[in-house]
Amino acid sequence: MAVDYTVIVVYLAGMLAMGWWGMRRARSKSDFLVAGRRLGPVMYSGTMAAIVLGGASTIGGVGLGYQYGLSGAWMVFTIGLGLLALSVFFSARIARLKVYTVSEMLDLRYGGRAGVISGVVMWAYTLMLAVTSTIAYATIFDVLFDMNRTLAIVLGGSIVVAYSTLGGMWSITLTDMVQFVVKTIGVLLLLLPIAVVKAGGFGEMKAKLPIGYFDPLGIGGETIFTYVLIYTFGMLIGQDIWQRVFTAGSDRTARWGGTVAGTYCLVYAVAGAVIGTAAKVLYPDLGSPDDAFATIVKDELPVGVRGLVLAAALAAVMSTSSGALIACATVANNDIWSRLRGAAKGRGGEEGRGEDGHDEVRGNRVFILVMGIGVIVTAIALNNVVEALTVAYNLLVGGLLVPILGGLLWKRGTAQGALASVIVGGLAVVGLMAAYGILANEPVYYGLLLSLAAYVTVSLATPPTDAAVLAAWRDRLAGRGAPERASEPVAVHQ
């Protein structure tokens, strides 16, 4: 394993080095939180694909393939569909808003009354997303070094916290680009063909497995529908995803770069399911489907290649973890802490007046460090990744989907309706998870319906949003309002 260890160590050292390099570029709040809003299509596509394809998409996607066959691709496939929908229909308008958080968008649309409550819901979602990604380090480092679970979480989490704290979104963008390349080579170009060959090819796989493993809908229509509700719609409204949209240098980059990333996700989904199906042929009696990825890598890949593929798994986890961490810290600082202190500045995307760029960067850096420590501690305390991830997406979709999409699509929606939707949907999801169980489908179904009912009913029962607020909102959607500080660079980097 010495060669494999060397590959991993070099990879981890490279992540820290990029964090240090990114620190030199993060000179303003905009640089630190959204990479100066000037990414070109190549970097935007790579980093967007990296953030959405995490450990759940890689290790979990292969596990679903092991359990259900080709239909196990649906979870990751619906993530790709959500990214495509976001990119084609909404990304250009979102990028033109020039905000930092989803709650700021709600403030702009509804007149500044939904911020703290929506911020708390989004913060809980991003925190749980970061925690689930951090827990995944235990699986990978256990395969690599037979490492204690707690130590593995601390090691992996500390590296992500370090480079994220140093350079913010610039560091995360640079590391995500490397992680995208490593995942492409490790999973698509190496593990996929090797796994199929080791299993004897598709003919042998069909001969050894039940026919249901090759049914595209074998996982079940209700499960696919739930994936669409949770993951496709979750991609449309998550702070971690929107914060990447904010990095785009132009409308065209946001639209077409995201479309490329979404298409890549669809390919990655099928690849994971095929790898899992091959693993079922090779190892029909594994204790857990989630062991399929680590087992096939450990037993079937040659020296060196094994290290690169494990680095790919590590890259998948790190990209999602770092993206969720900076999103969590951004929401905590901009949407909760600043508002509670009564000192929110630069609402709607302007730089904070009365503070220099260094102070803004330093404040956000402190929040990333504090949130990162909190994520590591929480990850050590929790064991069930699936339950934590389900709680996160149920809260996000049940509490925020309706007011966000309603604000973008229905001009009659009001601040009171949005607030009622967030509260009713969020409380309904929590109550229904307690009643039906965390992994049940009912919480997100009924929570979403109740959120929609509250939004429409209260909006129609209250006066329409002020015409001046809607006019300012339309100006921002058209890219005519509140530009970034003139001192910031505007060049688009590839």
Side-chain angles (χ1 to χ4, degrees):
M1 293 285 288
V3 176
D4 297 324
Y5 291 161
T6 301
V7 172
I8 298 296
V9 170
V10 168
Y11 169 76
L12 294 177
M15 296 300 98
L16 291 174
M18 292 206 172
W20 182 263
W21 189 78
M23 181 177 66
R24 302 173 60 186
R25 304 200 63 166
R27 296 186 296 271
S28 70
K29 179 180 179 180
S30 179
D31 283 336
F32 193 81
L33 294 182
V34 290
R37 305 190 196 273
R38 57 186 189 270
L39 292 190
V42 175
M43 289 193 72
Y44 180 86
S45 297
T47 57
M48 183 62 87
I51 177 74
V52 300
L53 295 174
S57 300
T58 304
I59 298 171
V62 171
L64 287 171
Y66 182 89
Q67 189 172 3
Y68 297 105
L70 298 185
S71 66
W74 273 106
M75 184 187 78
V76 183
F77 203 84
T78 55
I79 290 174
L81 292 178
L83 185 52
L84 284 171
L86 174 70
S87 301
V88 173
F89 299 114
F90 300 109
S91 62
R93 285 187 284 174
I94 291 170
R96 287 196 293 267
L97 290 174
K98 294 291 190 290
V99 296
Y100 292 105
T101 68
V102 174
S103 292
E104 289 180 10
M105 168 264 173
L106 292 174
D107 278 357
L108 281 171
R109 168 59 181 81
Y110 295 111
R113 300 177 187 174
V116 173
I117 294 177
S118 62
V120 169
V121 174
M122 188 63 77
W123 175 80
Y125 157 72
T126 54
L127 178 70
M128 284 295 99
L129 187 61
V131 165
T132 57
S133 300
T134 304
I135 291 173
Y137 295 126
T139 301
I140 299 170
F141 281 112
D142 178 55
V143 174
L144 286 172
F145 307 116
D146 193 24
M147 187 178 290
N148 172 269
R149 178 183 183 274
T150 298
L151 183 59
I153 289 173
V154 171
L155 175 60
S158 297
I159 292 171
V160 169
V161 172
Y163 73 69
S164 300
T165 302
L166 285 172
M169 187 60 82
W170 266 123
S171 293
I172 292 171
T173 296
L174 294 169
T175 54
D176 276 1
M177 196 64 201
V178 174
Q179 289 159 356
F180 169 74
V181 173
V182 171
K183 279 192 288 193
T184 301
I185 295 172
V187 175
L188 296 185
L189 301 183
L190 293 176
L191 182 57
L192 175 61
I194 290 174
V196 172
V197 169
K198 291 284 187 178
F202 285 103
E204 188 70 14
M205 290 162 63
K206 286 186 176 181
K208 290 187 175 181
L209 294 174
I211 191 170
Y213 265 73
F214 301 92
D215 180 359
L217 303 178
I219 199 170
E222 184 178 353
T223 299
I224 295 171
F225 180 68
T226 302
Y227 284 159
V228 170
L229 273 186
I230 293 178
Y231 296 114
T232 300
F233 287 119
M235 286 295 106
L236 297 179
I237 60 174
Q239 169 68 23
D240 52 323
I241 309 302
W242 276 41
Q243 201 156 342
R244 295 309 174 97
V245 175
F246 300 152
T247 67
S250 67
D251 293 358
R252 183 178 177 84
T253 294
R255 182 180 295 110
W256 293 108
T259 300
V260 170
T263 304
Y264 178 91
C265 291
L266 303 183
V267 175
Y268 200 89
V270 175
V274 171
I275 292 168
T277 305
K280 183 67 175 179
V281 174
L282 295 167
Y283 312 99
D285 300 314
L286 290 179
S288 168
D290 286 341
D291 293 337
F293 180 88
T295 302
I296 196 168
V297 169
K298 189 175 182 180
D299 293 349
E300 302 297 336
L301 299 186
V303 172
V305 173
R306 179 171 49 200
L308 184 60
V309 173
L310 287 172
L314 200 57
V317 175
M318 282 186 161
S319 57
T320 298
S321 181
S322 59
L325 175 59
I326 193 172
C328 178
T330 303
V331 170
N333 188 9
N334 289 266
D335 294 335
I336 301 176
W337 177 247
S338 293
R339 294 167 192 260
L340 293 178
R341 289 179 62 203
K345 298 178 180 180
R347 298 267 51 90
E350 297 177 11
E351 299 297 321
R353 290 182 288 271
E355 296 180 350
D356 59 31
H358 176 72
D359 287 337
E360 289 172 335
V361 170
R362 182 172 59 191
N364 283 287
R365 187 172 279 143
V366 168
F367 265 87
I368 289 181
L369 179 60
V370 172
M371 290 296 108
I373 294 171
V375 165
I376 292 172
V377 171
T378 307
I380 292 171
L382 292 180
N383 287 313
N384 196 313
V385 179
V386 175
E387 288 191 358
L389 191 64
T390 302
V391 169
Y393 273 98
N394 281 354
L395 279 173
L396 177 70
V397 173
L400 290 178
L401 177 68
V402 171
I404 291 172
L405 292 188
L408 289 168
L409 300 174
W410 190 42
K411 68 178 182 179
R412 185 60 180 83
T414 66
Q416 295 88 340
L419 196 58
S421 178
V422 173
I423 294 172
V424 170
L427 291 178
V429 164
V430 172
L432 289 165
M433 283 192 292
Y436 287 96
I438 289 176
L439 298 180
N441 292 328
E442 287 83 358
V444 71
Y445 292 170
Y446 299 142
L448 195 55
L449 289 174
L450 289 171
S451 177
L452 177 61
Y455 181 70
V456 173
T457 302
V458 176
S459 291
L460 292 176
T462 52
T465 304
D466 186 85
V469 171
L470 287 177
W473 166 253
R474 287 192 293 269
D475 284 343
R476 292 295 287 272
L477 282 178
R480 294 192 294 266
E484 299 290 336
R485 279 197 304 219
S487 60
E488 292 188 351
V490 295
V492 177
H493 295 268
Q494 293 299 316

